[in-house]
Amino acid sequence: MNNQEYYDRLGVSKDASQDEIKKAYRKMSKKYHPDINKSPGAEEKYKEVQEAYDTLGDEQKRAAYDQYGPSGANGFNGGSGGFGGFDGTAGFGGFEDIFSSFFGGAAQRNPNAPRQGDDLQYRVQLKFEEAIFGTEKEVTYNREATCHTCGGSGSKPGTAPVSCHKCHGQGVVTVDMQTPLGTMRRQVTCDICHGTGQEIKNPCLTCHGTGHEKEKHTVSVKIPAGVESGQQVRLTGQGEAGFNGGPYGDLFVMITVQPSDKFERDGSTIYYTLNLSIVQAALGDVVDVPTVHGDVELSIPAGTQTGKTFRLRGKGAPKLRGGGQGDEHVTVKVITPTKLNNAQKEALRAFAEASDDSISKPKKKGFFDKVKDAFEGE
């Protein structure tokens, strides 16, 4: 039973705080997010990180995982990998609790209690500038909504659900299982009411007894300035409808930012490559440099070399946390001309000669040149 693997996936120790686990998750999920990392295996790593955080990010699930490993965490979640029929609301105090739950002795949650609806995820692609300055997007998606006819009860208007005749409103029934140890008893979800504890004798004609109906939902999303790919905006109550009068789930809007053809970005810092001619680099110049905030003048000192970096303070992206503005780093690249006319060539030769450059010095004669000169001298 390996109860260390999830910690390894997030790169944290077993005694890490919830804050450290959350920070590690954000870092790792951004690193392997399939919209950012296109390398083979990245998507699978992203799923593994998500699975680890789903358990370690919850104190109760984490305690179950630390004590019993993945099977304990799955059992706490009521998943297929755990103990059959185990209900996390019954508590997770130790082996006795698991044993009691396995044999049907644990308390069951109220099947008619309000439950929150499922969360949804929606992806939004932003232009580079939209991510810098923030924007507002209108998104439309399909979701399960509370039935407008029955108000979510599932019953035809004027009627009401009744207690399930098989489970008597408990949502579960007790069954006997034959095992090598003898007959064992456990609780399973009722096959008549499917765990709701209620039977609908007169189903609603709109939702056919489910209490939900499909709808096309539109909502406006305010994207804050400074967002990056992999980050998300949470809209409370914009997910799917709840059950038994429970609240709607949430909508998580995942951000993807298109790359810029001019700039590179790392957090709040923006990078730009400035091409200069050899004349500008040698003599110096005043040039206009693009930034996301508009062009600014930059003085280039004489003798500037390729690789020289200038910092334009406050011309980067907004800082999402802590406020303020990042900087833009401008890196110089001196461009060597590839096609010269005769006048330009002569000017460069004159420059080389005036600079005592080796280009103006006569080439040293070789052996065959000396032989040629000897014959010509006769």
Side-chain angles (χ1 to χ4, degrees), residues 297-329:
E297 284 191 350
L298 177 63
S299 295
I300 306 297
T304 294
Q305 303 295 312
T306 288
K308 171 68 177 177
T309 299
F310 300 91
R311 175 181 290 185
L312 301 179
R313 297 190 180 276
K315 297 301 180 182
K319 298 177 181 178
L320 260 182
R321 294 175 179 83
Q325 203 84 10
D327 303 327
E328 177 172 316
H329 291 195

Side-chain angles (χ1 to χ4, degrees), residues 338-351:
T338 56
K339 295 181 180 179
L340 298 173
N341 57 36
N342 290 333
Q344 290 171 325
K345 292 178 182 178
E346 288 300 322
L348 285 177
R349 290 194 183 97
F351 169 77

Side-chain angles (χ1 to χ4, degrees), residues 1-2 16 29 54 63 70 72 106 122 131-132 139 144 177 183 209 223 239 245 275 284 288 294 312-313 319 349 378:
M1 182 178 296
N2 183 2
S29 62
D54 285 345
Y122 189 94
I132 297 293
V139 300
E144 292 280 344
M177 299 174 57
T183 302
I223 309 294
N275 293 332
D288 288 332
L312 301 179
R313 297 190 180 276
K319 298 177 181 178
R349 290 194 183 97
E378 291 182 353

Side-chain angles (χ1 to χ4, degrees), residues 24 41 60 69 106 133 202 256 306 352 369:
Q60 292 180 311
F133 298 108
N202 300 286
T256 302
T306 288
D369 291 324

Side-chain angles (χ1 to χ4, degrees), residues 35-318:
D35 288 337
I36 302 174
N37 192 333
K38 302 297 184 182
S39 60
E43 184 173 0
E44 187 61 33
K45 291 285 290 184
Y46 177 77
K47 293 179 180 178
E48 292 178 356
V49 168
Q50 185 66 52
E51 180 185 25
Y53 181 70
D54 285 345
T55 294
L56 300 185
D58 183 288
E59 290 285 10
Q60 292 180 311
K61 295 178 185 177
R62 182 182 179 183
Y65 175 78
D66 287 343
Q67 191 169 4
Y68 300 103
S71 60
N74 288 337
F76 186 88
N77 291 329
S80 58
F83 295 92
F86 181 76
D87 187 348
T89 59
F92 205 96
F95 180 77
E96 293 80 5
D97 290 333
I98 300 175
F99 187 84
S100 176
S101 175
F102 187 81
F103 287 94
Q108 298 293 325
R109 66 173 175 81
N110 181 3
N112 299 316
R115 286 186 291 131
Q116 184 173 354
D118 293 335
D119 294 334
L120 294 176
Q121 188 178 86
Y122 189 94
R123 295 184 182 276
V124 167
Q125 189 171 73
L126 303 179
K127 296 179 181 178
F128 187 83
E129 291 75 12
E130 288 178 326
I132 297 293
F133 298 108
T135 185
E136 189 166 343
K137 294 283 186 179
E138 195 173 77
V139 300
T140 300
Y141 54 98
N142 294 321
R143 71 171 184 174
E144 292 280 344
T146 300
C147 177
H148 73 280
T149 301
C150 66
S153 71
S155 292
K156 191 175 181 180
T159 67
V162 298
S163 181
C164 176
H165 74 277
K166 184 172 184 179
C167 67
H168 306 292
Q170 297 301 307
V172 293
V173 293
T174 301
V175 297
D176 292 333
M177 299 174 57
Q178 298 299 322
T179 75
L181 299 178
T183 302
M184 293 187 177
R185 179 165 293 180
R186 60 172 296 187
Q187 290 183 329
V188 297
T189 301
C190 176
D191 60 331
I192 299 296
C193 67
H194 305 291
T196 66
Q198 296 181 327
E199 285 186 78
I200 298 178
K201 298 294 186 178
N202 300 286
C204 170
L205 297 179
T206 301
C207 66
H208 307 290
T210 65
H212 291 170
E213 62 177 322
K214 292 283 187 182
E215 76 166 6
K216 183 173 287 188
H217 186 63
T218 300
V219 64
S220 182
V221 186
K222 290 184 178 180
I223 309 294
V227 296
E228 299 180 71
S229 286
Q231 293 180 329
Q232 60 186 16
V233 177
R234 179 178 183 173
L235 299 181
T236 303
Q238 299 299 330
E240 297 201 304
F243 302 88
N244 303 323
Y248 275 75
D250 300 332
L251 174 68
F252 290 86
V253 180
M254 302 295 296
I255 304 297
T256 302
V257 182
Q258 295 176 346
S260 169
D261 58 356
K262 290 183 181 179
F263 306 107
E264 296 289 338
R265 180 186 173 192
D266 182 11
S268 63
T269 303
I270 291 179
Y271 298 89
Y272 177 75
T273 299
L274 176 65
N275 293 332
L276 294 178
S277 69
I278 56 175
V279 175
Q280 289 175 304
L283 302 181
D285 199 359
V286 176
V287 298
D288 288 332
V289 176
T291 76
V292 293
H293 306 279
D295 291 353
V296 298
E297 284 191 350
L298 177 63
S299 295
I300 306 297
T304 294
Q305 303 295 312
T306 288
K308 171 68 177 177
T309 299
F310 300 91
R311 175 181 290 185
L312 301 179
R313 297 190 180 276
K315 297 301 180 182

